[in-house]
Amino acid sequence: MNWLLVVAGAMVGAPLRYLTDRAIQSRHDSVFPWGTFAVNATGCLVLGLVSGAAGPHLQLLLGTGLCGALTTYSTFSYETLRLAETGAGLYALANVGASLIAGLGAAYVGVELAQAV
């Protein structure tokens, strides 16, 4: 039963990541990976909320399934390496720093919001 919750969440999270990434990136004329940055920060916020307030079944559905498929460390790593390889080293460093700060900050805000409710 638990694995079905994870699968159901992932079935929503994976296409949501792709569509959100494409929609955001198409609006920016920059080499910075805004789409991946946005889905990762959003996923951290949602995971913080879920971790702070949800029961185990909702954590499987939204935390493991949805957020697991929505966020992407592999794409973040690949895009950062591509930025560095193509001479956009400052963008690569900005991506690493901003992603770390935004991700941790969003998770913290999510947990705090969940505990306040």
Side-chain angles (χ1 to χ4, degrees):
M1 170 66 174
N2 289 344
W3 67 273
L4 286 174
L5 293 169
V6 175
V7 169
M11 287 175 58
V12 173
L16 185 60
R17 181 188 84 73
Y18 175 77
L19 294 171
T20 303
D21 175 59
R22 295 294 86 209
I24 291 172
Q25 202 61 41
S26 70
R27 289 176 171 79
H28 294 278
D29 188 25
S30 169
V31 295
F32 190 84
W34 288 109
T36 301
F37 178 81
V39 295
N40 284 344
T42 302
C44 289
L45 177 66
V46 172
L47 188 57
L49 286 166
V50 169
S51 297
H57 289 102
L58 207 51
Q59 286 181 0
L60 287 171
L61 177 69
L62 298 177
T64 305
L66 178 79
C67 290
L70 177 66
T71 61
T72 172
Y73 187 74
S74 58
T75 301
F76 157 75
S77 300
Y78 173 77
E79 288 172 343
T80 302
L81 287 174
R82 292 294 302 149
L83 287 169
E85 289 174 352
T86 59
L90 289 178
Y91 280 111
L93 288 174
N95 190 34
V96 171
S99 293
L100 181 61
I101 292 167
L104 290 172
Y108 175 79
V109 168
V111 169
E112 291 298 316
L113 284 172
Q115 290 175 351
V117 174

